[in-house]
Amino acid sequence: MDRNKNIFEVRHNNLRPQKGRVLISSPFLNEICFQRAVILLVEHNAHGSMGFVLNKQTNLIVNSLFPELEDLPDIPIYLGGPVGTNHLFFMHLLGKRVPDGMEIGGGLCFDGNFEALKTYMLDHNQVEGKVKFFLGYSGWTENQLHDEIINDSWLVGVMKPDEMMMADDDDAFWKKSVRSLGSPYDTWTNYPKYPEMN
């Protein structure tokens, strides 16, 4: 497979990273946390970048962390990245119902008043597609993400907030995200996840 790898190689696109955009990993990125990952950037500036992997669901549920939520339907937790994995983060489409959140764009907010969020959930309001939880985050120091993009580890894309909230299956969502970038990237979706097994 390695000798044919060049047929899958595609240069990065010209879309610049910024808050609210997504990073789509190249098929050659094999770090377990970032393999076929789609990451929402919640911060990007001269000092560095921060984001959350949208499509790496864990076996953990929020209900097991908070006894008052035990009787609610299971609320999954996603692996947001390799940094700060002892911290629970969330993003939501609830606007002012969960105050103190950081606006990402298109009505999508990052974190906020957790007590208000618990009240929302305990009132049996919809969670799926409205709220998403993460353990850990993905982070880049100054210029690190820029260098990784130049080295073709990531493509930058644009995605609607409701699509990001519903992302769950790691491979299917990654392929859908790659296809949204246009035909030059179609070959990526045919590259095997584990080329050494072919």
Side-chain angles (χ1 to χ4, degrees), residues 104-151:
I104 303 302
L108 184 64
C109 296
F110 163 57
D111 270 4
N113 186 300
F114 188 65
E115 291 304 313
L117 177 59
K118 281 199 294 185
T119 298
Y120 171 88
M121 294 189 291
L122 288 168
D123 285 343
H124 299 282
N125 290 301
Q126 181 180 348
V127 174
E128 185 178 9
K130 298 291 184 184
V131 187
K132 196 164 190 172
F133 290 89
F134 303 90
L135 276 179
Y137 67 93
S138 303
W140 294 265
T141 56
E142 181 181 359
N143 293 323
Q144 183 184 2
L145 180 57
H146 173 267
D147 292 344
E148 291 181 10
I149 291 172
I150 292 298
N151 290 322

Side-chain angles (χ1 to χ4, degrees), residues 34 53 57 74 84 106-108 119 126 138 168 174-176 197:
F34 297 133
V53 179
Q57 187 172 328
D74 288 354
L108 184 64
T119 298
Q126 181 180 348
S138 303
D168 52 7
W174 176 81
K175 287 182 178 180
K176 179 182 177 183
M197 298 179 68

Side-chain angles (χ1 to χ4, degrees), residues 12-18 21-24 41 145 149 154-158 181:
H12 60 275
N13 55 4
N14 293 319
L15 200 59
R16 299 171 66 92
Q18 65 182 45
R21 289 184 173 170
V22 294
L23 302 174
I24 303 167
L41 286 174
L145 180 57
I149 291 172
W154 304 98
L155 291 172
V156 180
V158 177
L181 298 173

Side-chain angles (χ1 to χ4, degrees), residues 76-124:
I77 297 176
Y78 292 77
L79 180 61
V83 185
T85 52
N86 60 339
H87 190 91
L88 186 69
F89 301 91
F90 64 93
M91 63 182 191
H92 62 88
L93 290 170
L94 302 177
K96 297 189 184 304
R97 294 188 73 168
V98 179
D100 306 323
M102 181 176 78
E103 176 76 28
I104 303 302
L108 184 64
C109 296
F110 163 57
D111 270 4
N113 186 300
F114 188 65
E115 291 304 313
L117 177 59
K118 281 199 294 185
T119 298
Y120 171 88
M121 294 189 291
L122 288 168
D123 285 343
H124 299 282

